Amino acid sequence: MTNHEIKIAFEEYDSIKELDKTDYELCLEAANALKNSHSPYSKFRVGAALRLQSGKIIYGSNQENVAYPSGLCAERVALFYWGANHPDDPVESMAVTAQTDEFALTKPVTSCGSCLQVLAEVEKKQNKPIKIILYAQQGPVWVIKGIENQLPFLFFEDRLNA
């Protein structure tokens, strides 16, 4: 038997005001993306903003559907839009925030496993890690560099590309 240990690394800030100007502004853009959330069932709005290498900002917000499996998370909305419209302009960073009127969010909301797998595929496709900024409107900020710090057991099967 062999024991293995996995460690992840991330930075934590008290608020987005502690971030550099570029990351701070991206967080504000993620908050703006909340406005287009379609979440009448959960009442849990999620906004994502991607900053591309060119400086262009792409938005995503969660889109629910009465047939629950038909909805999509904010992260995947933004990433799939990027893949369909700007695949040659690498994703530098992504900010994600959430909001609900039902209760106070006091810590960042993390991406679901499906979104993490899509992030992994984007990083592999562009051969470059993405800086991910997760934050609560009135809480801490987590800055995570690269998907392996969120999803240590990535699913990749190189023989599928053959």
Side-chain angles (χ1 to χ4, degrees):
M1 178 183 80
T2 303
N3 286 318
H4 298 273
E5 183 175 319
I6 295 174
K7 295 182 180 186
I8 61 168
F10 65 97
E11 300 168 348
E12 183 173 279
Y13 299 87
D14 290 331
S15 80
I16 63 171
K17 293 177 182 175
E18 292 181 31
L19 301 173
D20 68 33
K21 182 181 178 190
T22 303
D23 290 344
Y24 173 78
E25 290 173 352
L26 190 61
C27 288
L28 295 180
E29 297 293 347
N32 284 336
L34 291 168
K35 296 173 190 170
N36 292 326
S37 168
H38 179 69
S39 48
Y41 310 105
S42 71
K43 297 178 179 57
F44 192 84
R45 298 176 299 283
V46 182
L50 307 180
R51 181 180 304 283
L52 307 184
Q53 185 173 299
S54 67
K56 182 170 182 59
I57 305 294
I58 290 178
Y59 303 93
S61 58
N62 59 321
Q63 302 296 312
E64 294 179 352
N65 189 283
V66 70
Y68 287 112
S70 300
L72 201 59
C73 301
E75 298 93 316
R76 283 182 283 157
V77 168
L79 290 165
F80 290 152
Y81 180 87
W82 165 81
N85 295 283
H86 304 281
D88 297 323
D89 192 359
V91 178
E92 295 280 327
S93 53
M94 177 175 74
V96 180
T97 192
Q99 190 175 54
T100 180
D101 297 332
E102 306 297 311
F103 52 89
L105 294 172
T106 57
K107 66 179 184 175
V109 173
T110 58
S111 300
C112 74
S114 294
C115 288
L116 294 177
Q117 185 61 43
V118 170
L119 271 165
E121 189 86 10
V122 170
E123 282 191 1
K124 184 174 183 175
K125 179 179 178 181
Q126 68 183 23
N127 196 29
K128 182 177 182 180
I130 298 170
K131 180 196 296 185
I132 300 146
I133 306 164
L134 305 173
Y135 76 100
Q137 300 285 313
Q138 272 84 48
V141 180
W142 296 342
V143 178
I144 306 158
K145 294 179 181 152
I147 191 62
E148 289 181 1
N149 282 305
Q150 291 188 81
L151 188 63
F153 289 109
L154 301 174
F155 172 74
F156 284 123
E157 177 50 68
D158 291 330
R159 292 173 293 180
L160 292 173
N161 292 333

